[in-house]
Amino acid sequence: DAGSTVECDVWQQDCPDGEKCMPWANDGGVAWNATRCAPVAAMSGQPGEPCTAEGGGLSGIDSCAEAAMCWNVDAETNEGTCVSFCDGTPQTPSCSDNATECSISLDGVLILCLPSCDPLSQDCPTDAEACYPGVEGGFQCYPDYSGETGAYGDPCEFTNVCDPGLFCGPAYVVPGCTSSLCCSEFCDVSADDPDSLCSGQGDGQTCIPWYEEGQAPPGEETVGYCGVPA
């Protein structure tokens, strides 16, 4: 029923016994936009374990345990990996695994504990993922949906449609961008010649620190992005 957007609370997991509250796409689209109560599989997979999603990753029906979902689902095999939902509340989210951070997206429908990562080394655990800016700050591993596009200067709609090592930025940071958002590179501000890491150097791009001075979390002090200074 496309008219029933929020059937249950993914934070509270308030579905009847034997069911779990899950994100799904109730309009047949390409993004999770609603929640539904779905059956919990008899042999439920725990976070980090393989899983299957019935009818694809957007159906909201999978083989993972309560408060977890099948993530990065292969479109051909319907197989993925169980990922835990965030703990706490929308105001004070947390993750029990210190190697992950809470990612809240799509108007709060999707609340996942995703691996933290380094955008300069692109150290995500699988080749199917890349390190992108997190919705709540920092950097996290998301499925790499760039496909045949996602190179420097290509238009982008979502953060994870750019190639690994690039991010989806506003048009003004990417010379020649023909859309409201285009892909540009991360860069290392501590490199000998950081501006040379930018494809748009000849058009005015420089390597700009990602964070304001003194605001970078530990270990992320050298992260920069290729953009045009304001």
Side-chain angles (χ1 to χ4, degrees):
D1 179 3
S4 179
T5 302
V6 178
E7 179 180 320
C8 54
D9 188 329
V10 287
W11 294 94
Q12 297 296 324
Q13 287 297 314
D14 52 356
C15 291
D17 290 344
E19 297 183 351
K20 61 177 182 174
C21 187
M22 287 286 291
W24 72 302
N26 72 349
D27 59 357
V30 296
W32 298 268
N33 70 329
T35 64
R36 70 187 301 182
C37 290
V40 178
M43 300 292 289
S44 300
Q46 299 300 311
E49 294 181 347
C51 55
T52 57
E54 182 180 315
L58 296 167
S59 70
I61 302 174
D62 62 28
S63 61
C64 297
E66 185 178 352
M69 69 177 286
C70 200
W71 181 242
N72 203 5
V73 175
D74 186 288
E76 295 183 359
T77 65
N78 287 341
E79 296 175 346
T81 302
C82 292
V83 170
S84 175
F85 289 166
C86 303
D87 299 319
T89 68
Q91 293 74 34
T92 57
S94 62
C95 292
S96 57
D97 184 347
N98 291 332
T100 66
E101 293 182 6
C102 179
S103 172
I104 304 173
S105 57
L106 301 173
D107 294 326
V109 170
L110 206 60
I111 57 167
L112 297 177
C113 288
L114 299 178
S116 305
C117 57
D118 181 348
L120 300 181
S121 63
Q122 290 292 317
D123 55 353
C124 290
T126 73
D127 292 339
E129 298 174 305
C131 188
Y132 297 105
V135 177
E136 298 295 309
F139 299 93
Q140 294 172 296
C141 295
Y142 292 89
D144 173 14
Y145 288 159
S146 58
E148 298 299 318
T149 62
Y152 169 79
D154 283 353
C156 51
E157 185 178 359
F158 303 106
T159 187
N160 59 334
V161 298
C162 294
D163 289 337
L166 288 82
F167 69 98
C168 187
Y172 65 84
V173 307
V174 188
C177 177
T178 58
S179 180
S180 59
L181 299 167
C182 285
C183 299
S184 190
E185 295 113 337
F186 292 111
C187 56
D188 185 343
V189 297
S190 68
D192 290 339
D193 184 7
D195 293 349
S196 68
L197 303 174
C198 299
S199 294
Q201 181 184 14
D203 296 315
Q205 269 197 337
T206 64
C207 184
I208 303 170
W210 188 268
Y211 296 100
E212 297 289 339
E213 185 174 356
Q215 299 301 309
E220 297 180 12
E221 295 88 352
T222 65
V223 177
Y225 69 96
C226 293
V228 178

